Amino acid sequence: MLDKAQHALDKAKVNMRRDLESNLEAYCQQVLQLREQVLIEIPTSQELTPDEAFAVIHDFRHRVEAVYLRKHDLQAGLDIFNMESPEHRELKDTERDLELANQIWILVRDWTRAFDNWKTGRFDELDISEMETVAGQFNKKVGKLGRDVKRWGIWEAMRTKLTEFLQTMPLIQDLRNPAMRSRHWDALKRDLRRNFDETSAEFTLETVFSIGLSAVPDLISELSANANKELAIEETLKEIETRWGEIDIDISAYKEEYFKIRSTDDLFQVLEDDAVALSTMKASKFYGSFKSRIDKWEGALALVSEVIELILTVQRKWIYLESIFMASEDICKQLPKESSLFIEVNATFGHVMSNAAEQPNAVIQCTATGMLETVTCMDDKLETIQKSLDSYLETKRDVFPRSRGSVGNMTLVQHHTAWRSLPESVPFVV
């Protein structure tokens, strides 16, 4: 009885082992067939969409899971018969290839989304720095995958797209150059013989490619480079405008009732520096774009220089003559015409300098309507007064012969005034 039971058991073990071996062989065939199918059907073609590719990958991963489930079901029998669990390199390779396929298609999907967002968004709102960073990250990831999937069509297509995009980034950066002005865009339109509105919401990255801007990168690069150089001129002009909006004439009180220019050293230094800058701009090939502004400031600063120098000349003459005509009644009596003329100049000079004290901005004062003419007229009148005074004093040197060549005009005036004030009975020794 025991022998029969043992015999039946042995027979069952043989049948069980035979079934296990058969199932194991079928399992191995399943692994190999799955590997062959994956090698043929794995989504490596650029003709597929990401959704189609992910569907294929998902299906194969389910089949891999089924293979592992079958292997798990076999494991109990393998343990009973002390048989080794089969390890198939093909199954590992399949899993690896599916993971690589998943990674490349994730990159394709994400890049397509990013590019579509850039492509359809307003061109003047694109974040160029972000675009360059994101594209660089994608390119790095795709390059890393290339060590394993370089022969896949989708990898080659993706790498080509990224390379082409990165090659167009300088073009995009040039077009988005903040220095680009409407005149530069107008020049581009003339060269392309195309009309478009670069400021409209419809002007997108897609438009840039569709109207052929990507075909003229050298032209756009030159325009952008010129725009940068013109921007330097534009910024220098703004600096000059801002600076001269803050530069005042250094005015101080004089004899408590007048005002005069105290110092011009700093003013003339800035004048010289800015005149050189404007002269350099005028010699630039970009002068035409800023002609009116450069000419305006060149003229304004030239006028400031001329008026300030003339005021200083007038001021020196006025200070000298004021000490004579406002202090010597006798001179005024002897030179009544010149005295009246000086009183007129004195009032004008006082008015001009009072205005300058209230509003000392150099450009505002010196470019005021009629200022140059007013100061020139004062200078001419003071020169006339000075000549008459010199002529008059020269005649008095004959009265005081010892003063000739050794006494200045001021001293002579003082002697003359003192002499005229003496009583007639007091002799004046000469």
Side-chain angles (χ1 to χ4, degrees):
M1 188 72 177
L2 290 174
D3 291 340
K4 286 184 178 181
Q6 183 64 44
H7 179 71
L9 181 59
D10 290 342
K11 185 176 180 180
K13 285 182 177 181
V14 170
N15 290 336
M16 184 179 177
R17 185 182 180 92
R18 185 183 299 117
D19 291 342
L20 179 61
E21 291 174 344
S22 177
N23 288 333
L24 187 59
E25 184 179 351
Y27 162 77
C28 292
Q29 287 297 319
Q30 183 182 10
V31 170
L32 294 175
Q33 287 175 0
L34 178 59
R35 178 60 182 160
E36 289 176 0
Q37 283 186 299
V38 166
L39 289 174
I40 295 172
E41 299 177 22
I42 193 169
T44 61
S45 172
Q46 59 179 311
E47 302 301 325
L48 297 173
T49 66
D51 287 342
E52 291 171 339
F54 286 132
V56 174
I57 293 169
H58 183 71
D59 178 63
F60 274 126
R61 280 182 163 172
H62 271 299
R63 292 168 69 179
V64 169
E65 289 177 4
V67 169
Y68 273 111
L69 183 60
R70 187 171 187 178
K71 179 182 179 182
H72 179 268
D73 292 341
L74 292 172
Q75 190 62 48
L78 293 173
D79 292 340
I80 292 173
F81 292 102
N82 198 26
M83 296 172 63
E84 289 186 5
S85 178
E87 293 295 336
H88 291 284
R89 190 189 71 181
E90 292 84 358
L91 187 58
K92 297 295 182 184
D93 290 344
T94 294
E95 287 185 290
R96 179 172 174 273
D97 286 350
L98 291 174
E99 177 58 26
L100 290 171
N102 191 60
Q103 289 181 27
I104 188 65
W105 281 104
I106 286 175
L107 290 175
V108 170
R109 179 198 63 195
D110 292 349
W111 171 253
T112 301
R113 289 174 179 172
F115 183 74
D116 286 347
N117 184 53
W118 298 332
K119 183 176 65 176
T120 57
R122 286 183 63 121
F123 186 75
D124 57 7
E125 294 180 355
L126 291 177
D127 188 333
I128 304 301
S129 178
E130 180 193 21
M131 290 171 62
E132 191 170 25
T133 299
V134 170
Q137 292 171 343
F138 271 98
N139 194 51
K140 184 177 180 180
K141 292 176 181 178
V142 170
K144 187 175 180 180
L145 283 175
R147 294 195 293 264
D148 301 302
V149 299
K150 187 173 291 187
R151 295 183 180 180
W152 290 4
I154 186 58
W155 182 89
E156 293 178 356
M158 185 65 181
R159 187 57 180 267
T160 299
K161 285 181 181 179
L162 287 169
T163 299
E164 290 177 349
F165 181 80
L166 289 170
Q167 288 174 345
T168 63
M169 278 305 300
L171 169 75
I172 297 171
Q173 289 171 331
D174 286 336
L175 289 172
R176 280 297 311 279
N177 185 350
M180 289 279 282
R181 300 290 185 262
S182 57
R183 61 181 177 273
H184 304 118
W185 285 99
D186 291 341
L188 181 58
K189 294 170 191 176
R190 288 194 298 271
D191 283 326
L192 289 177
R193 297 182 181 178
R194 300 291 296 269
N195 190 28
F196 53 85
D197 182 2
E198 69 279 1
T199 64
S200 72
E202 289 72 31
F203 189 77
T204 63
L205 183 59
E206 189 171 34
T207 308
V208 168
F209 293 112
S210 66
I211 64 178
L213 295 184
S214 58
V216 287
D218 293 340
L219 171 61
I220 293 172
S221 176
E222 182 180 1
L223 283 173
S224 180
N226 289 343
N228 286 331
K229 295 173 183 177
E230 291 181 11
L231 179 62
I233 295 177
E234 186 174 330
E235 290 177 343
T236 301
L237 282 171
K238 286 181 180 178
E239 290 173 2
I240 290 174
E241 291 167 354
T242 301
R243 182 161 48 248
W244 283 98
E246 301 172 353
I247 293 178
D248 293 340
I249 304 171
D250 186 7
I251 303 291
S252 65
Y254 179 70
K255 288 188 176 182
E256 297 183 353
E257 58 179 316
Y258 301 113
F259 292 97
K260 71 169 186 174
I261 294 177
R262 178 167 48 192
S263 173
T264 58
D265 292 345
D266 293 341
L267 186 148
F268 277 117
Q269 182 60 58
V270 178
L271 265 175
E272 182 180 349
D273 293 342
D274 286 346
V276 171
L278 289 167
S279 178
T280 301
M281 293 181 209
K282 203 164 185 178
S284 167
K285 70 176 183 177
F286 307 111
Y287 164 64
S289 299
F290 305 94
K291 183 179 185 302
S292 60
R293 291 174 67 186
I294 293 174
D295 290 351
K296 170 193 169 184
W297 277 102
E298 188 176 50
L301 297 190
L303 187 55
V304 168
S305 178
E306 185 177 3
V307 169
I308 292 295
E309 288 181 350
L310 199 50
I311 289 178
L312 289 174
T313 299
V314 168
Q315 180 172 284
R316 285 192 296 270
K317 294 176 181 179
W318 171 82
I319 288 174
Y320 169 69
L321 293 173
E322 189 273 343
S323 65
I324 294 175
F325 282 94
M326 303 305 287
S328 175
E329 293 184 9
D330 185 67
I331 291 295
C332 294
K333 291 178 181 179
Q334 297 301 316
L335 299 171
K337 180 179 178 182
E338 286 75 9
S339 177
S340 297
L341 192 58
F342 180 79
I343 291 172
E344 178 186 330
V345 172
N346 188 64
T348 303
F349 184 76
H351 177 70
V352 168
M353 297 310 293
S354 293
N355 285 343
E358 291 178 8
Q359 169 51 277
N361 181 266
V363 173
I364 292 177
Q365 282 298 324
C366 295
T367 61
T369 303
M371 175 58 79
L372 178 62
E373 291 77 9
T374 297
V375 180
T376 301
C377 183
M378 284 194 291
D379 185 49
D380 291 342
K381 289 177 180 180
L382 289 174
E383 186 66 26
T384 298
I385 296 170
Q386 180 72 60
K387 288 180 179 179
S388 296
L389 177 62
D390 290 345
S391 178
Y392 171 73
L393 292 177
E394 189 63 29
T395 63
K396 297 306 171 185
R397 291 184 190 277
D398 295 334
V399 177
F400 305 100
R402 284 186 295 179
S403 68
R404 186 175 298 279
S406 62
V407 177
N409 284 352
M410 283 300 298
T411 302
L412 186 59
V413 168
Q414 292 170 358
H415 286 176
H416 175 68
T417 301
W419 175 69
R420 295 282 297 181
S421 64
L422 289 174
E424 295 183 4
S425 60
V426 178
F428 193 88
V429 180
V430 298

